[in-house]
């Protein structure tokens, strides 16, 4: 059965369209642009209860996870978190997850339907939990799917801490700080926007937490507002802003979710090689779309420069200030000022790359070392 949040039974929410990535949770509460403005200037609460959450416990939880995910977590202190990936053997992204370490448990939350490439000779795709179970071997860890026990809410906006204080939630100011709350945990996030806190609350108490947060001053907002601020923040979503060839460097997941120096995880060779001696073939750009025609491209549509396809469209949103915008994976040679057309069939519009979204040419340590050796 498709997931359906109980908050959709409250007065006011508009459900996401069938087949939408946010299907099953409120898309907006009647005024998506006002919700975005409040997220930028006040505080909103967003239902993200369709995300999946795994709990990893056991005395070897950190040393074992260190071997199977892309992030350095052997020293992940209790009360902290991070982001991480599962990569395939070629270094391409299988799964993105957000991590929280609290009370002897490492919590991994991911988009619904998270999958990973099997490490078995037969290959194929497995659920994230199945993949992690297959990689346990004799490690002293236990992996549980707690999606039926915990549900995620996100409080966004500069007034988020005031709202959270009103309901008895307090946590550190650093990004990825984690604190226990009754039955779950709170985690401060560096995106979307500058003020964001995730609350993993008991699923049976989801409606009660929603009421408490809205009574404390958080405006109900939908996934539309979250995605608009996510796109503005240049944060990708797996499956929308990535394809089957995406490597972490292309979508700003190096450093935040993939460690370039640690070894012993699948796909590490690609991560280290591109960081040290190469440059990714594509980068993720923010596109400003021509809003004069009442059409927008769709995820997966081509980005065209002249007669050449130079990329693919990812997330497409209507932003309260920027208008229609999108993330796109484009060839590294595609620069700001290029006259782009994006879309397919009867939904082709002009687009321009936001110059602030173009990554700088970071030094390649391996290439620089080789040049020094050559004199």
């Amino acid at each position: 059965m498709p997931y359906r949040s109980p908050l959709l039974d409250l007065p006011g929410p508009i459900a996401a369209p069938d087949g939408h990535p946010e299907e099953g949770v409120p898309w907006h509460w009647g005024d998506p642009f006002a919700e975005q403005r409040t997220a930028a200037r006040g505080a909103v609460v967003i239902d993200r209860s369709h995300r999946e959450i795994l709990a990893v416990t056991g005395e070897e939880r950190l040393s074992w996870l260190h071997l199977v995910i892309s992030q350095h977590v052997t020293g992940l202190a209790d009360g902290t978190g991070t982001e991480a990936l599962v990569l395939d053997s070629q270094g391409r992204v299988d799964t993105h997850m957000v991590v929280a370490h609290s009370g002897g448990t490492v919590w991994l939350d991911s988009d619904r339907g998270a999958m990973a490439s099997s490490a078995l000779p037969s290959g194929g795709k497995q659920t994230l939990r199945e993949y992690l179970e297959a990689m346990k071997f004799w490690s002293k860890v236990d992996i549980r799917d707690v999606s039926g026990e915990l549900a995620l809410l996100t409080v966004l906006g500069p007034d988020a801490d005031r709202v959270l204080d009103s309901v008895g939630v307090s946590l550190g100011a650093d990004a990825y700080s984690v604190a226990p709350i009754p039955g779950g945990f709170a985690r401060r996030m560096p995106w979307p926007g500058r003020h964001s806190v995730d609350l993993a609350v008991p699923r049976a108490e989801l409606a009660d937490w929603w009421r408490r947060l809205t009574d404390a001053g958080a405006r109900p907002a939908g996934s539309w507002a979250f995605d608009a601020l996510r796109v503005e923040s240049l944060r990708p979503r797996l499956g929308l802003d990535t394809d089957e060839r995406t490597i972490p460097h292309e979508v700003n997941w190096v450093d935040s979710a993939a460690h370039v120096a640690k070894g012993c995880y699948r796909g590490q060779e690609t991560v280290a090689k591109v960081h040290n001696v190469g440059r990714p073939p594509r980068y993720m750009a923010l596109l400003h779309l021509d809003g004069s025609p009442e059409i927008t491209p769709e995820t997966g549509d081509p980005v065209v420069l002249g007669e050449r396809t130079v990329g693919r469209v990812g997330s497409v949103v209507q932003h309260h200030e920027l208008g229609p915008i999108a993330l796109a994976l484009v060839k590294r040679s595609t620069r700001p000022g290029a006259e782009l057309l994006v879309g397919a069939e009867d939904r082709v519009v002009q687009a321009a790359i936001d110059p602030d979204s173009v990554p700088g040419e970071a030094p390649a340590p391996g290439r620089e070392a080789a040049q020094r050796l050559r004199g």
Side-chain angles (χ1 to χ4, degrees), residues 52 54 56 64-73 82-99 106 108-111 113-120 124-135 143 238-239 242-249 251 253-254 256-259 262 264-271:
E52 297 178 351
L54 300 179
V56 182
W64 171 76
L65 273 172
H66 188 77
L67 299 176
V68 296
I69 63 176
S70 64
Q71 191 57 281
H72 199 298
V73 294
T82 186
E83 297 178 50
L85 309 169
V86 173
L87 307 177
D88 70 9
S89 59
Q90 304 301 312
R92 297 168 296 207
V93 178
D94 272 343
T95 297
H96 172 265
M97 67 198 83
V98 190
V99 182
V106 178
L108 310 173
D109 62 277
S110 60
D111 286 329
M115 305 291 285
S117 301
S118 172
L120 299 176
K125 292 286 188 178
Q126 302 173 292
T127 67
L128 178 58
R129 183 187 178 185
E130 289 171 341
Y131 171 76
L132 295 176
E133 287 283 358
M135 300 300 290
I143 306 162
L238 190 76
T242 66
D243 58 20
E244 69 282 354
R245 299 183 292 120
T246 302
I247 60 176
H249 316 69
V251 290
W253 273 335
V254 169
S256 66
H259 200 277
K262 82 160 187 139
C264 302
Y265 67 93
R266 190 171 69 173
Q268 181 270 341
E269 182 178 356
T270 297
V271 172

Side-chain angles (χ1 to χ4, degrees), residues 27 144 159 297:
W27 193 29
R144 290 193 306 122
D159 290 342

Side-chain angles (χ1 to χ4, degrees), residues 3 12 39 83 93 103 114 122 164 170 209 211 225 271 274 329-330 358-359:
Y3 175 73
E83 297 178 50
V93 178
S122 56
L164 293 170
S170 178
W209 273 94
R211 178 188 57 77
V271 172
V274 173
L329 274 176
V330 297
V358 180

Side-chain angles (χ1 to χ4, degrees), residues 39 61 66 68 78 103 161 171 254 261 272 281 309 312-313 320 329 351 361:
R61 62 190 180 278
H66 188 77
V68 296
D78 194 272
D161 281 340
L171 72 167
V254 169
T309 296
R312 69 176 293 278
V313 176
H320 71 106
L329 274 176
E361 291 295 336

